[in-house]
């Protein structure tokens, strides 16, 4: 187990992780571990804290550490969605280990309707744009989020080509887009960008 940003993060050899694998929870769309881009957003939020009342949705949440960080550090109400039901027990395990609450359910990006998204102020996603076909899916999701009244969307990535494409398309489509470059040496060496779309404008 390692500790970072006030969170306990279990590694693949931890007995509870091995137990979940033995029980058949084997992630099918790369949600088999905690990915580093979440650290890029955690580091950004540490410098730009969230208000406690912020309603956060973590999309493609995997083990949910980014959402759990928002719940633990800022006291936000956080919900997670992921297309792969097998990641959800790992999220619940980390919620228990860290003594925070985070609700999560199986849903795809495509299933998030305007009505559903209207329950949130902020959408977060880390390492979720890794296939070319995810770029238009995520742009469409941003459009629906804007209609729903979501205020801000942050997506972090080590700059894979589909993410760079997403970033370019978001800059063409939305008026208020910021791209934050990050280079971390702690808690891991990681680099990448955070695409921040302020959906209040347009
Ligand atoms: C590389 S993992 C990142 C997981 C987590 N965000 C992290 O940083 O550790 C990508 C996650 O996106 C989920 N995912 C992929 N396509 C999706 C879709 N269309 N809708 C919802 N989740 C999706 C996968 O199941 C997986 O958990």
């Amino acid at each position: 187990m390692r500790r970072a940003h006030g969170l306990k993060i279990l590694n693949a050899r931890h007995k509870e992780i091995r137990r979940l694998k033995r029980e058949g929870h084997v992630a099918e769309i790369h949600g088999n571990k905690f990915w580093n881009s979440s650290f890029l957003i955690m580091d950004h939020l540490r410098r730009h804290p969230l208000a406690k009342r912020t309603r956060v949705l973590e999309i493609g949440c995997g083990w949910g550490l980014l959402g759990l960080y928002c719940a633990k550090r800022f006291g936000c109400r956080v919900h997670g969605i992921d297309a792969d039901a097998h990641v959800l027990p790992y999220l619940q395990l980390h919620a228990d280990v860290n003594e925070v609450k985070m609700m999560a359910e199986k849903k795809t990006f495509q299933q998030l309707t305007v009505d559903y998204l209207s329950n949130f102020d902020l959408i977060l996603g880390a390492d979720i744009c890794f296939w070319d076909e995810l770029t238009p899916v995520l742009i469409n999701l941003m459009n629906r989020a804007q209609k729903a009244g979501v205020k801000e969307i942050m997506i972090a990535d080590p700059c894979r080509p589909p993410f760079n494409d997403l970033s370019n398309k978001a800059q063409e489509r939305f008026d208020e887009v910021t791209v934050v470059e990050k280079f971390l040496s702690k808690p891991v060496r990681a680099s990448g960008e955070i695409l921040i779309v302020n959906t209040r404008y347009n």
Side-chain angles (χ1 to χ4, degrees):
M1 183 173 74
R2 57 182 162 152
R3 283 169 198 267
H5 288 285
L7 292 172
K8 295 175 186 164
I9 305 174
L10 307 183
N11 64 32
R13 292 184 308 278
H14 191 280
K15 68 175 183 358
E16 289 300 313
I17 297 287
R18 286 192 282 128
R19 177 180 61 78
L20 290 176
K21 268 199 199 127
R22 270 200 312 279
E23 289 173 1
H25 299 295
V26 178
E28 287 162 358
I29 332 174
H30 301 301
N32 56 313
K33 61 172 188 173
F34 165 63
W35 291 71
N36 281 342
S37 293
S38 290
F39 284 134
L40 306 182
I41 298 186
M42 288 181 202
D43 189 74
H44 178 79
L45 293 178
R46 189 169 59 85
R47 294 153 200 260
H48 303 88
L50 296 177
K52 185 178 177 185
R53 63 180 178 280
T54 311
R55 299 166 302 165
V56 179
L57 176 65
E58 184 181 0
I59 59 173
C61 58
W63 292 13
L65 271 310
L66 177 56
L68 292 169
Y69 171 78
C70 297
K72 184 141 188 144
R73 174 99 186 203
F74 308 115
C76 297
R77 188 166 65 81
V78 186
H79 194 87
I81 67 97
D82 199 289
D84 184 354
H86 286 303
V87 302
L88 303 179
Y90 296 89
L91 183 152
Q92 191 52 56
L93 172 62
H94 280 91
D96 293 345
V97 166
N98 285 290
E99 298 174 18
V100 274
K101 278 211 181 92
M102 175 171 165
M103 303 302 290
E105 63 186 316
K106 179 184 173 193
K107 261 188 192 298
T108 65
F109 304 139
Q110 297 88 326
Q111 288 172 327
L112 303 177
T113 61
V114 172
D115 194 34
Y116 185 94
L117 294 168
S118 68
N119 294 300
F120 302 98
D121 305 303
L122 172 67
I123 295 177
L124 300 178
D127 272 306
I128 57 165
C129 194
F130 47 88
W131 289 330
D132 288 343
E133 53 267 41
L134 288 170
T135 304
V137 166
L138 288 167
I139 281 285
N140 288 338
L141 171 56
M142 288 177 180
N143 284 327
R144 295 198 300 285
Q146 185 174 48
K147 279 197 193 118
V150 172
K151 297 182 186 77
E152 201 167 47
I153 302 166
M154 293 187 193
I155 298 182
D157 198 88
C159 294
R160 298 181 188 91
F163 170 83
N164 292 338
D165 197 19
L166 176 70
S167 180
N168 291 335
K169 290 202 161 65
Q171 288 173 68
E172 283 163 19
R173 164 67 186 81
F174 296 95
D175 286 344
E176 283 283 320
V177 177
T178 312
V179 177
V180 179
E181 268 187 274
K182 299 291 281 182
F183 298 90
L184 302 184
S185 53
K186 282 193 307 193
V188 292
R189 286 176 72 85
S191 64
E193 288 179 358
I194 309 174
L195 170 65
I196 304 178
V197 181
N198 188 328
T199 33
R200 267 178 288 218
Y201 299 96
N202 276 63

